[in-house]
Amino acid sequence: MKLAQALGADALADKDPLPPHLRERLLARDPLFVASHWLLAGAAMVGVIVALATVRPWGAGVPRRLLLAITGTLGVFMIARSIGVLGFGFVGDVLLLTGVRPPPVEHASLARDLARWDLLLWSPFFLLWGVCWATAGWRLGGASRVAPVRRCESSTR
């Protein structure tokens, strides 16, 4: 999606949970936001390579600790974002939509709309991605603790 946005598409750009002044810059294709889309598209490609390195034989040359650090950090960050530790996420969205935490008066309607989108689209995706990264790290870490299985060839007597 970030690659599409970097190339000029508006795919879900208006649903990004940003403060109104940043949202306007995003929708106006401010050069800083275009550059950030390219940066995030590149990061996603690196993520694909890291994910493949955890399961492909050619990934054996990559230090296991580095892969564990990357997968663990991404998993924790994405799960924290989905829950709401970083400001957006299930907790913050529910608090805003139930009125426990009032939205900014001047942007109340927009804040509620973005909270709905975040609650139903972005937070579940971040939770799923975080769980996938954490699972990849857990499996990778578990693989290093398990002794390799040796095959015994049976001999006929």
Side-chain angles (χ1 to χ4, degrees):
M1 183 177 72
K2 291 300 179 184
L3 179 60
Q5 289 175 344
L7 293 171
D10 288 332
L12 295 172
D14 61 334
K15 305 306 181 214
D16 246 331
L18 292 171
H21 69 284
L22 292 177
R23 188 173 181 272
E24 290 171 15
R25 288 177 59 192
L26 169 72
L27 296 176
R29 299 203 37 84
D30 180 282
L32 180 65
F33 279 96
V34 174
S36 74
H37 293 324
W38 282 109
L39 182 67
L40 290 171
M45 288 184 193
V46 169
V48 169
I49 292 168
V50 168
L52 289 173
T54 65
V55 296
R56 292 291 184 200
W58 55 263
V62 179
R64 186 174 298 278
R65 287 185 180 186
L66 176 63
L67 290 176
L68 281 169
I70 292 170
T71 56
T73 301
L74 287 172
V76 167
F77 174 75
M78 291 185 174
I79 291 170
R81 191 273 183 222
S82 74
I83 293 169
V85 174
L86 305 175
F88 302 107
F90 294 118
V91 173
D93 297 334
V94 168
L95 291 175
L96 189 131
L97 292 171
T98 58
V100 173
R101 187 184 80 201
V105 177
E106 65 276 7
H107 305 290
S109 176
L110 176 62
R112 285 188 191 94
D113 185 45
L114 293 177
R116 277 188 218 93
W117 274 96
D118 190 63
L119 183 66
L120 298 174
L121 178 66
W122 301 120
S123 291
F125 273 139
F126 274 95
L127 180 61
L128 177 63
W129 292 330
V131 167
C132 288
W133 280 114
T135 302
W138 177 73
R139 293 194 71 209
L140 187 64
S144 66
R145 289 188 297 265
V146 177
V149 177
R150 294 186 180 193
R151 291 186 177 182
C152 298
E153 294 184 26
S154 61
S155 59
T156 54
R157 295 182 186 185

